[in-house]
Amino acid sequence: LELHSNASLPNFTLPFTFRQRATDQALNGILIAVLGIVMVSLGCTMKLSKIKTHIWKPKGVAIAVVAQYGIMPLTAFALGKLFHLGPIESLAVLICGCCPGGNLSNIFSLAAKGDMNLSIVMTTCSTFLALGLMPLLLYLYSRGLYQGNLEGKVPYKGIVISLAMMLIPCTIGIFLNEKKPQYARLIIKAGMIVLLVSSVPIIALFVASVGNSILIILSPPLLGTSALMPFIGFLLGYMLSSFFKLNDRCRRTVCMETGCQNVQLCSTILKLAFAPDVIGPLFFFPFLYLVFQLGEGFLLILAFRVHEKLKKPNGKCNIIKTSLLFLHAFHLRVEYKPNTGITAPITELLLSLGWNSVAV
């Protein structure tokens, strides 16, 4: 491989042969099992009629694809220039930016009360389109950084497997929701419980597998890049969907889909494209990105939930209901007629309670 020199990378040997140790095999097995159960539960939140709507009117899907393959690769390339990353570092960041959305975006969309039908359709489309767009984007953005055939390292088999691991369980979930809706809610709860319970052994096995090796890449430029990249994806995804006037649920979904990358595919490409002594500790960059992706995603979900809670008491209905309850307690007879405003006794009562202004 003919590469530009990169003095910032130390000599490094991976502490394990890629995914060969018992902890790595256990981690892979748990991830596959948990992903299958969670995707079945996510499928139970979907409806065929709504899926067809997104397919026949693909406005949301088109916006998400543009965000995924327009915003993220450009963001990765720009951050590499901004932080003056070396060629190998820039390539690791760029490969991550060119990957499709991962299954984590589906889980985040559910937690943020997004449109699950749109989320699954978007992830399916972005993963399918990766078969053609990933080689093209890697070819366009990697010129001048890498002299080899980087686009030829795209793991087509891995992409197809990702599609199968997502679509088959989701199809089972959709079928259960259509034929046995009484069990759907129970399956959804079971899937979320499995996800929460399994997170502890998954984190433990990941730490045991990676060890202290990930500390080598905790340089300020790479930390800044891995922190800003998902944040910019989340932000611009939400802004783009707002510009095209998607509803709140779809905005959250596009936001999550844009910021969440398929880090497993990124790791696979790094493994196939570079020898361990060439890529060095940058093999762990996708995992560093995953940490910030998880943290920022959870903060966004919390922000969406708080915003929804604050938005719920929207004035009109709650103020009127509360007023009538107060009046009933005071044995006052007031008849409220829709579209006629608040009657004088209610206004007087609200003013006496310290409500200086009422909007209805």
Side-chain angles (χ1 to χ4, degrees):
L1 295 177
E2 186 179 342
L3 292 164
H4 297 271
S5 61
N6 186 6
S8 63
L9 287 177
N11 291 329
F12 177 79
T13 303
L14 286 173
F16 57 91
T17 305
F18 293 98
R19 300 181 184 273
Q20 294 300 313
R21 291 196 322 188
T23 53
D24 306 310
Q25 294 175 357
L27 181 60
N28 288 340
I30 292 175
L31 285 173
I32 290 171
V34 170
L35 181 62
I37 294 170
V38 169
M39 294 311 293
V40 170
S41 67
L42 293 180
C44 288
T45 66
M46 302 170 67
K47 293 184 179 179
L48 282 174
S49 58
K50 293 184 178 180
I51 294 173
K52 290 178 182 177
T53 300
H54 288 303
I55 293 174
W56 293 114
K57 296 180 180 179
K59 179 181 177 181
V61 177
I63 292 169
V65 169
V66 170
Q68 183 70 55
Y69 291 111
I71 291 173
M72 294 309 290
L74 183 59
T75 299
F77 182 80
L79 288 174
K81 298 294 184 183
L82 177 65
F83 287 101
H84 303 288
L85 300 179
I88 306 269
E89 294 170 326
S90 297
L91 279 172
V93 174
L94 179 62
I95 290 169
C96 188
C98 291
C99 286
N103 298 114
L104 185 61
S105 65
N106 308 132
I107 298 169
F108 278 177
S109 294
L110 179 64
K113 296 187 177 180
D115 188 328
M116 285 309 302
N117 302 281
L118 177 60
S119 178
I120 298 296
V121 172
M122 284 194 309
T123 305
T124 302
C125 290
S126 70
T127 305
F128 180 76
L129 290 172
L131 294 168
L133 288 178
M134 275 191 75
L136 175 63
L137 290 169
L138 289 173
Y139 170 76
L140 292 175
Y141 282 104
S142 67
R143 287 187 296 178
L145 294 173
Y146 181 70
Q147 302 302 320
N149 182 24
L150 188 60
E151 61 274 14
K153 304 298 183 181
V154 174
Y156 298 103
K157 181 180 177 182
I159 293 173
V160 173
I161 291 173
S162 295
L163 275 171
M165 288 180 64
M166 177 177 58
L167 291 178
I168 294 173
C170 271
T171 302
I172 294 172
I174 294 169
F175 177 81
L176 289 172
N177 192 29
E178 294 288 331
K179 301 297 182 181
K180 303 286 184 180
Q182 66 271 25
Y183 299 122
R185 189 172 295 275
L186 181 63
I187 294 171
I188 294 169
K189 289 182 179 179
M192 295 304 102
I193 290 171
V194 168
L195 179 63
L196 291 172
V197 172
S198 64
S199 61
V200 176
I202 287 173
I203 292 171
L205 286 169
F206 173 75
V207 172
S209 176
V210 174
N212 295 327
S213 303
I214 197 170
L215 297 176
I216 300 173
I217 63 169
L218 297 183
S219 63
L222 284 174
L223 280 172
T225 301
S226 53
L228 284 174
M229 196 167 151
F231 174 76
I232 293 172
F234 289 135
L235 178 64
L236 294 184
Y238 191 87
M239 290 175 63
L240 186 65
S241 55
S242 299
F243 178 79
F244 286 99
K245 296 180 169 48
L246 296 184
N247 62 46
D248 286 343
R249 294 185 66 201
C250 290
R251 290 177 190 177
R252 298 174 197 173
T253 307
V254 174
C255 165
M256 294 301 175
E257 184 70 23
T258 306
C260 290
Q261 298 298 96
N262 192 326
V263 295
Q264 295 93 336
L265 281 181
C266 179
S267 298
T268 303
I269 296 175
L270 290 174
K271 183 180 82 170
L272 292 174
F274 307 103
D277 58 332
V278 175
I279 190 64
L282 290 174
F283 174 77
F284 295 111
F285 176 79
F287 303 113
L288 184 63
Y289 181 91
L290 177 63
V291 170
F292 283 99
Q293 182 175 261
L294 283 167
E296 292 170 17
F298 283 131
L299 288 176
L300 268 177
I301 291 167
L302 180 62
F304 285 139
R305 288 296 189 101
V306 170
H307 178 263
E308 189 179 45
K309 290 289 184 182
L310 294 175
K311 195 177 177 182
K312 265 188 178 179
N314 54 8
K316 296 184 182 180
C317 210
N318 286 330
I319 289 174
I320 294 168
K321 287 180 180 178
T322 305
S323 306
L324 292 175
L325 286 172
F326 276 128
L327 288 171
H328 181 70
F330 284 112
H331 303 286
L332 295 175
R333 293 182 180 180
V334 177
E335 181 182 1
Y336 173 73
K337 295 180 180 179
N339 302 320
T340 61
I342 294 181
T343 58
I346 299 180
T347 305
E348 290 174 6
L349 175 62
L350 291 175
L351 290 174
S352 69
L353 292 171
W355 295 44
N356 295 322
S357 62
V358 181
V360 292

